[in-house]
């Protein structure tokens, strides 16, 4: 996926819809790291000697593409523009959901959309749903990725899980769920008998399955929610923040967050073979059984599911062992 973005004419198109430019820096760091990994032995033929004395010149620059940052603050826009190249600043998001140009609505615009802390400030559920659907409409239909991120607290998780469920219910096709009931007063294109077709897509992270979140069995606000999906990231505080906080004994901080990443227009679990799309990546109970294959002696209480007994997995279980590396990571639930 990253290789496709880097080879794209003009580079990737990135939208930061809430990070005031921080999301652009993060996305470009990932792109730059991948570029350096794949071009570590490639240099531009300038005929100049490098620092090591070899001929060839400096490595080619990573294609950072064009970026857009959503911010209405003049002061913040001026400060962020000093560190971001090829970046446009806009005060509000375009509305593709209600756009009259159907081509623009179907095609989208951005390859990567990072939207941190944009759901919590919206007090009404219908506003949050409209915001998520507008971000989705801004995504490229050829593999664009939307990343929603909120604080790693129960309420932040609920907002992210609600957005994930909305996208699965109305936009992302899943096995056995390729359409949804729509408003008959304003039927959309491609609808049949009051049901609109969903489009190809996939949940990229943190879970790759399209089932309901087991930690979100009670939708909406749930008082006393103790189990919720969140992660932790440590960062080093810059010197000015150390002075503001008056911290002396520790220069790092651990931040907890909940997030979801969704891809539009592609499903990486489907493997394309010589004669088209192959079996794809096995998920669910059969993937669990495949993961346990070869380790039955360590888990004597494990009972294979009925799905595995009546189907043939796409991995030779007899060849699996501690050193095997044949299971696609997308098969993990």
């Amino acid at each position: 996926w990253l290789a496709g973005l880097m080879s794209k004419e003009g580079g990737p198109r990135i939208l930061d819809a809430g990070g005031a430019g921080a999301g652009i820096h993060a996305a470009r760091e990932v792109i730059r790291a991948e570029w350096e990994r794949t071009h570590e032995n490639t240099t531009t033929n300038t005929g100049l000697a490098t620092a090591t004395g070899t001929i060839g010149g400096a490595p080619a620059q990573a294609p950072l593409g064009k970026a857009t940052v959503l911010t209405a603050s003049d002061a913040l826009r001026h400060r962020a523009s000093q560190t971001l190249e090829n970046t446009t600043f806009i005060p509000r998001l375009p509305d593709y959901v209600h756009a009259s140009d159907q081509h623009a609505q179907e095609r989208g615009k951005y390859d990567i959309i990072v939207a941190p802390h944009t759901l919590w400030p919206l007090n009404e559920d219908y506003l949050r749903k409209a915001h998520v659907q507008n971000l989705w409409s801004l995504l490229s239909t050829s593999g664009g990725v939307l990343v929603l991120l909120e604080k790693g607290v129960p309420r932040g998780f609920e907002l992210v899980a609600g957005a994930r469920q909305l996208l699965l219910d109305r936009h992302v096709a899943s096995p056995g769920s390729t359409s949804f009931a729509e408003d008959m007063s304003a039927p959309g294109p491609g609808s049949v008998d009051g049901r609109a077709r969903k489009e190809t897509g996939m949940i990229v992270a943190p879970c790759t399955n399209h089932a309901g979140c087991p930690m979100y069995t009670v939708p909406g606000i749930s008082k006393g929610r103790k189990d919720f999906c969140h992660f932790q990231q440590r960062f080093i505080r810059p010197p000015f923040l150390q002075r503001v906080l008056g911290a002396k004994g520790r220069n790092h901080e651990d931040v907890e967050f909940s997030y979801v990443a969704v891809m539009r227009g592609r499903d990486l679990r489907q493997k394309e073979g010589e004669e088209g799309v192959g079996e794809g990546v096995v998920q669910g109970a059969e993937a669990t059984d495949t993961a346990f294959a070869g380790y039955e002696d360590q888990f004597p209480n494990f009972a294979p599911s009925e799905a595995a007994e009546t189907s043939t997995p796409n991995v030779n279980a007899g060849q699996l062992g501690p050193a095997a590396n044949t299971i696609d990571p997308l098969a993990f639930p």
Side-chain angles (χ1 to χ4, degrees):
W1 175 73
L2 274 178
L5 286 186
M6 292 187 296
S7 62
K8 185 177 181 179
E9 182 179 358
R13 298 164 297 178
I14 310 172
L15 169 65
D16 184 344
I24 304 300
H25 282 295
R28 285 179 170 176
E29 282 299 315
V30 173
I31 295 172
R32 186 180 290 109
E34 179 65 11
W35 176 268
E36 293 175 354
R37 185 189 69 83
T38 56
H39 294 76
E40 56 184 355
N41 297 323
T42 304
T43 57
T44 55
N45 189 15
T46 60
L48 302 176
T50 63
T52 59
T54 58
I55 302 299
Q61 294 293 326
L64 300 182
K66 297 182 179 180
T68 304
V69 175
L70 174 65
T71 176
S73 170
D74 292 337
L76 191 58
R77 181 168 61 248
H78 175 72
R79 185 177 294 271
S81 64
Q82 297 178 5
T83 62
L84 294 172
E85 299 180 358
N86 293 337
T87 302
T88 302
F89 295 85
I90 58 176
R92 65 183 64 87
L93 289 176
D95 185 359
Y96 275 11
V97 175
H98 303 95
S100 57
D101 186 353
Q102 189 64 35
H103 178 69
Q105 183 177 357
E106 294 177 355
R107 185 179 179 184
K109 183 178 182 183
Y110 297 101
D111 301 303
I112 303 174
I113 297 180
V114 183
H117 312 296
T118 59
L119 298 176
W120 198 309
L122 302 176
N123 296 325
E124 301 295 336
D125 186 55
Y126 75 92
L127 293 176
R128 290 190 289 268
K129 289 181 177 180
H131 177 66
V132 172
Q133 293 189 90
N134 190 36
L135 291 175
W136 181 258
S137 69
L138 293 171
L139 266 183
S140 169
T141 56
S142 57
V145 172
L146 168 64
V147 181
L148 297 171
L149 183 145
E150 294 292 335
K151 293 180 180 179
V153 297
R155 184 55 183 149
F157 160 73
E158 292 166 352
L159 296 172
V160 171
R164 175 185 183 274
Q165 194 60 49
L166 170 67
L167 292 175
L168 288 176
D169 289 342
R170 298 185 63 86
H171 295 283
V172 180
S174 304
S177 177
T178 59
S179 62
F180 67 95
E182 66 174 351
D183 184 7
M184 290 302 296
S185 62
S191 60
V192 179
D193 296 331
R195 298 192 65 84
R197 293 190 60 83
K198 299 180 183 179
E199 56 187 311
T200 303
M202 72 169 291
I203 305 295
V204 177
C207 299
T208 60
N209 66 74
H210 287 191
C213 177
M215 293 187 178
Y216 194 61
T217 55
V218 179
I221 301 177
S222 177
K223 294 184 179 180
R225 188 188 296 271
K226 296 182 180 180
D227 295 329
F228 59 98
C229 180
H230 63 289
F231 303 86
Q232 191 177 82
Q233 177 64 50
R234 173 168 294 184
F235 73 97
I236 305 300
R237 297 181 186 137
F240 77 88
L241 185 56
Q242 284 286 93
R243 293 193 297 268
V244 170
L245 297 176
K248 298 181 179 179
R250 187 180 68 176
N251 68 339
H252 65 269
E253 188 171 343
D254 296 324
V255 176
E256 295 182 342
F257 62 95
S258 295
Y259 81 104
V260 65
V262 190
M263 178 176 288
R264 183 184 185 188
R266 294 177 61 189
D267 189 345
L268 301 182
R269 299 171 303 172
Q270 297 178 347
K271 302 299 183 181
E272 188 169 336
E274 297 180 355
E275 299 181 358
V277 179
E279 293 182 1
V281 178
V282 177
Q283 290 189 327
E286 188 174 348
T288 302
D289 297 331
T290 304
F292 273 98
Y295 297 89
E296 291 84 357
D297 58 329
Q298 300 181 30
F299 302 93
N301 296 327
F302 173 72
S305 65
E306 296 181 0
E309 296 175 353
T310 58
S311 61
T312 302
N314 63 343
V315 176
N316 188 351
Q319 297 179 351
L320 289 177
N325 187 28
T326 57
I327 298 179
D328 195 308
L330 289 177
F332 298 150

